[in-house]
Amino acid sequence: MNLKKILIAVDNSTCSEKAAKTGYEVAKTFGAEVALVNIIEPVPANINPDLTLAPVFLEAYDNSEENSNILLRELESKYSLGIKTTYLSVIDSAAHGIINQSDEWGSDLIVIGTYGRTGLYHFLMGSVAEHVARKSACPVLIIPNKYEEKTE
């Protein structure tokens, strides 16, 4: 396996932290560079009576983009092990955005965490990780939320 570019999909969750940690460890093993991607899910726009978009949308996006960059910087400083990291932050639905960013950046591997939900919630909401695994052009490493590293 020739891994030179590893995309790690993150949000603000513990399963995402586990994915970041594992993704950077894989990158170190293969001498790969990393892109951290955080998808900003679109906020439904409010329409004013005069049929213009409310400025609250742009304000919400600016705030979300700033929070996304803070998250990416924190994860890089915590787990990067000095590995070159690119930040990718876009407005899109989660699975679609991850796949598009992976294709554009030219990933050799996507690392993503999963909450491991089952039952009705999983049936209704689906799984971003599963969707990415089905639609991705490159291999996907899914890190379960229950995953704990073995310590010797």
Side-chain angles (χ1 to χ4, degrees), residues 14-16 18-19 22 112-116 141-148:
T14 56
C15 62
S16 175
K18 290 175 183 180
T22 304
I112 187 169
T114 183
Y115 294 97
L141 176 59
I142 299 174
I143 308 301
N145 195 31
K146 296 175 186 171
Y147 174 71
E148 293 296 328

Side-chain angles (χ1 to χ4, degrees), residues 59-126:
E59 190 177 301
Y61 172 70
D62 289 342
N63 188 35
S64 294
E65 187 175 35
E66 184 178 325
N67 290 340
S68 178
N69 286 328
I70 290 168
L71 171 69
L72 298 177
R73 278 195 307 272
E74 285 175 358
L75 289 171
E76 178 188 20
S77 69
K78 194 170 182 180
Y79 299 112
S80 74
L81 309 166
I83 294 169
K84 179 184 175 192
T85 302
T86 301
Y87 296 164
L88 304 171
S89 197
V90 294
I91 296 179
D92 205 336
S93 64
H96 186 261
I98 292 165
I99 292 164
N100 280 351
Q101 291 303 299
S102 174
D103 290 346
E104 286 179 22
W105 192 64
S107 303
D108 299 311
L109 176 72
I110 298 172
V111 180
I112 187 169
T114 183
Y115 294 97
R117 293 189 177 114
T118 57
L120 184 61
Y121 181 87
H122 181 77
F123 175 74
L124 294 174
M125 300 305 289

